[in-house]
Amino acid sequence: MSIYVGNLSYEVTQDDLNSVFAEHGTVKRVQLPTDRETGRPRGFAFVEMGTEAEETAAIDALDGAEWMGRDLKVNKAKPKEDRGGSFGGGDRRGGGGGGYNRSRY
């Protein structure tokens, strides 16, 4: 299980997060998603701790705490929800595209 960390400063780095969460236990992994177009952090992260007890301690200590000028939102991460495939808007009729179609020429 991992921890969701929201309302982060756009200046935050993975090292910053690692050092803050390390105060509450062993940090196994930090994911700091970035915007595809700008490359800057998106304002949230996911942190995996060594044990459930360490996760709980980090959540209790950091949720609502002010850090880098922002009030953090820290809680257990929810499982990623299924968004229904890659057909934008959930259209499941399939379809395809591209390729050579002899009947059109």
Side-chain angles (χ1 to χ4, degrees):
M1 194 68 172
S2 64
I3 299 170
Y4 167 83
V5 186
N7 200 32
L8 289 172
S9 164
Y10 294 113
E11 307 301 317
V12 74
T13 66
Q14 286 186 332
D15 289 339
D16 293 334
L17 286 164
N18 200 2
S19 63
V20 167
F21 279 83
E23 295 175 17
H24 306 284
T26 303
V27 177
K28 290 173 63 178
R29 187 166 97 169
V30 174
Q31 289 180 280
L32 185 61
T34 55
D35 184 89
R36 281 184 225 169
E37 294 178 18
T38 66
R40 82 178 195 176
R42 295 176 61 193
F44 65 92
F46 297 97
V47 178
E48 290 181 29
M49 303 292 288
T51 67
E52 187 90 20
E54 291 171 340
E55 282 184 2
T56 301
I59 291 168
D60 291 345
L62 297 172
D63 187 36
E66 185 181 333
W67 185 53
M68 296 179 82
R70 314 278 305 249
D71 292 335
L72 296 179
K73 179 174 173 69
V74 183
N75 53 41
K76 285 205 179 270
K78 296 181 174 102
K80 190 173 182 179
E81 57 183 57
D82 181 16
R83 295 187 178 202
S86 61
F87 292 108
D91 184 358
R92 297 186 189 244
R93 290 180 286 174
Y100 179 74
N101 184 344
R102 177 170 277 160
S103 66
R104 293 182 69 196
Y105 300 100

